[in-house]
Amino acid sequence: MIFVAQDALKLLLALLIGGLIGAEREFRDKAAGFRTIIFICIGATLFTIISVRLGSPHEPSRIAASIVSGVGFLGAGAILRAQGRVIGLTTASTIWLAAALGMAIGGGDFALAGIAALLALVVLLAFPAVEAWIDRVWEVRTYTV
């Protein structure tokens, strides 16, 4: 196998993007934090690079389909039920997204991965305030006299 400098660039970009998203998850003290999201993003990048090399030229998507299934299993482990509520859905979807970003990077779609990562960071950093506002507007109170 021949090492290509672009492969190193892809892995470093996966480290950066996974690190940015993982840092937000770590800051909020979620189950899948900094290192976990980095590993998922780098792993998906590496699997995608390998799938292009090992797969037939007409069917490199077979390993990609396996990445989606495997990461779905990881994400399912982050979803819990506690006190009548389901928690961990955002963490599970972040795991899924980190893998998709890694696949885009591994496939050489840097611009697509960058735009998607930027959108993910906007959702993770800015939207909790919108969510809190919606919760306040739709808050239901029951008074007993």
Side-chain angles (χ1 to χ4, degrees):
M1 246 323 122
I2 298 170
F3 178 78
V4 181
Q6 188 175 15
D7 294 339
L9 174 66
K10 289 175 181 180
L11 293 171
L12 289 172
L13 186 59
L15 172 73
L16 175 68
I17 288 177
L20 289 171
I21 293 171
E24 186 280 336
R25 298 278 78 199
E26 190 73 35
F27 179 75
R28 297 190 191 278
D29 198 28
K30 299 300 179 180
F34 188 63
R35 292 181 299 160
T36 304
I37 300 298
I38 289 173
F39 281 148
I40 291 168
C41 196
I42 289 175
T45 300
L46 187 58
F47 275 126
T48 303
I49 292 168
I50 292 169
S51 72
V52 170
R53 287 189 184 159
L54 296 180
S56 70
H58 306 292
E59 193 58 43
S61 62
R62 291 177 61 187
I63 293 178
S66 298
I67 294 170
V68 173
S69 299
V71 169
F73 181 77
L74 280 176
I79 300 171
L80 303 169
R81 185 170 175 190
Q83 301 169 351
R85 296 183 61 206
V86 176
I87 59 172
L89 291 173
T90 302
T91 299
S93 60
T94 303
I95 288 170
W96 184 67
L97 176 68
L101 291 170
M103 291 169 66
I105 293 165
D109 290 328
F110 302 130
L112 179 64
I115 291 167
L118 181 64
L119 291 173
L121 288 169
V122 167
V123 169
L124 290 170
L125 295 170
F127 283 23
V130 175
E131 199 171 29
W133 175 79
I134 292 170
D135 287 343
R136 282 192 307 271
V137 169
W138 290 102
E139 184 177 326
V140 175
R141 295 182 183 182
T142 303
Y143 297 100
T144 305
V145 179

